[in-house]
Amino acid sequence: MDSIIISPELPRNDVLLLQNLADDVQRCQQNSGSSRKGPGAKHDSAPGREVVNGTTNRDDSSSRDERDLTSMRALNDPANQDFEPTVFCSVDLQDLSSRLHPLVYRHMLMPYVKWAQGIARHPRYVLTYICCSHDVVMVTHLILYFTTSVPSALWLYYHFTYLHGIAHFIMQFYYLGTYTLMMHQHIHGGGVLRKQSLIHLFDIIFPYITDPLMGHTWNTYYYHHVKHHHVEGNGPEDLSSTIRYQRDNVWHFLHYVGRFYFLIWLDLPLYFLKKDRPTFALKAAFWELFNYATLLTLFRLNSRPTFFVFLLPLMLLRAGLMVGNWGQHALVDADEPDSDYRSSITLIDVPSNRYCFNDGYHTSHHLNPRRHWRDHPVHFLANKKTYSSEHALVFHNIDYLEITIRLLLHHYEHLARCMVPIGERQIKMTIEQRAAMLRRCTRRFSEDEITEKFGTAVKAKPKVK
C-alpha cells in the first residue's frame, strides 16, 4: 500500500504533481487487481493529508494530465489570470492577501512587487509596456542580504563580541541554502537581474561581496559546477563523481568529502589543463588562491571576526555541497550510469523546492541546465512517460541531506517508503523489492565497468577501501 504525504507547505505545482502521480499509482493498482484498501483507507488528496493508494477516481489519465498541465502552466504564464510571481520563498503571493492587512497588501506589497518586476531577470511581457517577471524573490533576497548579512559583518569588524559572532553565523547558516541555490540560478542564467545599465553592473558585482559571507570562494562555484560538473555529468572524469564509491559506506563518503574539501584548489585547475582549457585552469586557480590569500590576510589583521564572518561559513558550505551532491548522485543505475534519468533523482519536498528554487528536480536540471527553475515541475509532468520508461527515481517528503544520512545508515526501507513509484514496474514492486533496488543502485563501479559503460578508458583515481 503506497502512502504519499502532501505537505501544505509545498509549492502549488508540487501539490498538483504529487496528486497526479498518486492517482497514477491507484489506477495502476486497480488495473492490475493488486489494490489493497484497509477498512479505514482515506482517499482525500487535499494538501496536508495522507493519500492512501493514490487519489480518488477522476477522468481518464490523459485528460487528467492535460488538465493538470494547463493548471501548472497557468501559474507561470503572465497572460493568465492565475499567474503570480514568486515574491518570497516561504509563502505564495496569493496567501498573503488574506494574511496581511488590506492597506499593507495594496499599498506596500503590491507596489514593491511591481517595482521589483522591473528589476528582476526573466521578464515576460503581457503587453509591450507591461513587464511581469517571475523572479521578484531574487530582488527580495538581495535586499535581505544587503540589509542584514553585510551590515552585520561590517559591525563585527568594527566592534566584535562573541555573542554577535555566534548570532551572525546562525543567521548565515539559515541563509546559506537559499543563497547558494539563488547563485545556482545566477551562474546558469548569467545573472538574476535585468541586463540594464547600473542594474546589470550590480548583478555582476554583488557576488564578490556576498559570496564570501556565505562560504563561497570567488567564481569557484561557476567553474566547478557549470564548466566542469555539467560537462562530465557524474561521469568518470567528474571530480565530484560518485561512481567509484560504495555510496552507502561511511569511509567512502568521508574520502569523497575530504578530497573536495582539501584538494579542489588543485584538482580543478589540473582537470582544466587535462582538457586543454588553460584559460579556465588559470582563472580557477587564481580566484581560489586569491580568495585564500585574502582570508589569510584578514585573519592576521583581525582573527575573531574573520573566523565567524568568513571561515566558519566556508568550512560549513564546503561540506554541505558534497553532502548534497552525494545525495543527488548516490543512486546510479548499474546498466545505464551515463543516463541523466538514471544517475540523478527527483525530490518533491519542501526544503528543496519551496526554499531552494526547485532544487529537488535534479534530473530535469541535468537534462537542461538552463531551464528556468519554475519550469521544472511542468517539464516533469509533460515528460512523465519518458521518466517512467527510463525508470527514473522520484522521492517525496525527504531532502538530499536526509537521503545521504539514510544511505549511510542503510535505512533502505525508509527510502523505499519515500519513493513515489512511477510506471507499472515500480508501482508493482513491494517495499522490500524497492529497498533491494535502491541498495543495488549504490554499488561501486569497477574500472572495467566504467570503461564498458562509459565507452572510454579513464585513468583510475586512488582506491578507497
Side-chain angles (χ1 to χ4, degrees), residues 46-79:
R49 297 182 182 174
E50 188 175 87
V51 180
V52 180
N53 277 344
T55 60
T56 54
N57 285 325
R58 291 187 282 174
D59 319 332
D60 68 288
S61 59
S62 59
S63 62
R64 176 214 57 198
D65 288 352
E66 285 302 319
R67 183 173 64 251
D68 289 345
L69 267 174
T70 299
S71 298
M72 293 169 76
R73 286 170 174 153
L75 292 174
N76 291 350
D77 181 8

Side-chain angles (χ1 to χ4, degrees), residues 29 53 60 65 68 83 118 167 184 190 198 285 301 308 333 410 426:
Q29 290 176 337
N53 277 344
D60 68 288
D65 288 352
D68 289 345
F83 167 79
H184 185 245
L198 293 178
L301 292 174
F308 284 95
D333 183 78
H410 294 196
Q426 291 183 6

Side-chain angles (χ1 to χ4, degrees), residues 79-326:
N80 192 288
Q81 63 178 2
D82 292 331
F83 167 79
E84 63 177 60
T86 305
V87 181
F88 305 102
C89 284
S90 57
V91 62
D92 293 324
L93 183 60
Q94 69 165 9
D95 296 327
L96 290 175
S97 61
S98 60
R99 297 185 188 184
L100 297 177
H101 191 280
L103 290 177
V104 174
Y105 182 81
R106 287 198 303 266
H107 299 293
M108 294 183 65
L109 180 61
M110 295 313 296
Y112 164 72
V113 171
K114 183 178 181 181
W115 169 78
Q117 283 183 318
I119 294 175
R121 184 74 64 89
H122 301 291
R124 305 287 179 90
Y125 290 90
V126 181
L127 299 173
T128 56
Y129 55 88
I130 300 179
C131 172
C132 292
S133 172
H134 293 146
D135 292 344
V136 172
V137 66
M138 305 297 181
V139 179
T140 301
H141 277 267
L142 284 173
I143 293 172
L144 176 67
Y145 303 139
F146 275 90
T147 56
T148 56
S149 295
V150 174
S152 176
L154 291 173
W155 188 259
L156 278 170
Y157 275 93
Y158 175 73
H159 179 69
F160 177 83
T161 65
Y162 280 102
L163 182 61
H164 183 187
I166 293 170
H168 177 87
F169 175 68
I170 293 172
M171 176 178 68
Q172 297 305 96
F173 177 80
Y174 178 75
Y175 288 164
L176 191 144
T178 302
Y179 177 83
T180 296
L181 271 300
M182 183 185 80
M183 290 308 301
H184 185 245
Q185 309 307 313
H186 191 284
I187 61 178
H188 277 294
V192 294
L193 303 179
R194 296 188 68 183
K195 292 185 177 181
Q196 185 177 11
S197 59
L198 293 178
I199 297 174
H200 183 51
L201 179 62
F202 177 77
D203 200 20
I204 294 172
I205 292 174
F206 85 78
Y208 293 94
I209 300 170
T210 52
D211 272 6
L213 298 177
M214 303 291 181
H216 291 269
T217 50
W218 292 313
N219 294 316
T220 300
Y221 192 24
Y222 170 76
Y223 286 112
H224 183 276
H225 185 75
V226 175
K227 296 301 183 181
H228 156 253
H229 175 62
H230 275 283
V231 173
E232 300 297 341
N234 201 50
E237 296 191 81
D238 189 340
L239 297 175
S240 54
S241 174
T242 59
I243 60 175
R244 288 188 172 90
Y245 295 91
Q246 179 63 36
R247 294 175 295 281
D248 59 0
N249 183 294
V250 173
W251 299 110
H252 284 222
F253 171 72
L254 292 175
H255 180 278
Y256 177 82
V257 173
R259 173 139 194 177
F260 178 84
Y261 210 91
F262 296 108
L263 293 178
I264 192 59
W265 64 273
L266 178 63
D267 282 346
L268 189 58
L270 290 178
Y271 162 83
F272 286 127
L273 288 175
K274 179 181 177 181
K275 293 294 183 178
D276 196 26
R277 306 298 296 269
T279 302
F280 283 170
L282 288 172
K283 288 181 177 180
F286 169 78
W287 285 113
E288 188 76 358
L289 295 176
F290 180 55
N291 200 102
Y292 294 158
T294 302
L295 294 181
L296 179 60
T297 301
L298 288 172
F299 188 79
R300 287 182 171 179
L301 292 174
N302 201 339
S303 61
R304 291 182 299 175
T306 300
F307 179 74
F308 284 95
V309 171
F310 296 114
L311 297 184
L312 274 180
L314 174 64
M315 291 186 286
L316 175 66
L317 182 74
R318 285 285 160 107
L321 289 173
M322 288 297 98
V323 171
N325 199 75
W326 186 273

Side-chain angles (χ1 to χ4, degrees), residues 307-379:
F307 179 74
F308 284 95
V309 171
F310 296 114
L311 297 184
L312 274 180
L314 174 64
M315 291 186 286
L316 175 66
L317 182 74
R318 285 285 160 107
L321 289 173
M322 288 297 98
V323 171
N325 199 75
W326 186 273
Q328 290 167 342
H329 295 286
L331 298 167
V332 181
D333 183 78
D335 296 324
E336 294 186 44
D338 57 341
S339 166
D340 287 328
Y341 292 99
R342 301 191 185 195
S343 64
S344 58
I345 61 176
T346 298
L347 303 186
I348 306 176
D349 72 302
V350 173
S352 303
N353 298 343
R354 164 64 73 183
Y355 294 99
C356 291
F357 306 106
N358 282 335
D359 187 45
Y361 293 91
H362 202 64
T363 300
S364 173
H365 175 60
H366 267 272
L367 290 169
N368 181 1
R370 292 183 65 85
R371 195 189 318 276
H372 188 267
W373 62 275
R374 283 188 38 157
D375 292 333
H376 288 308
V378 179
H379 159 80

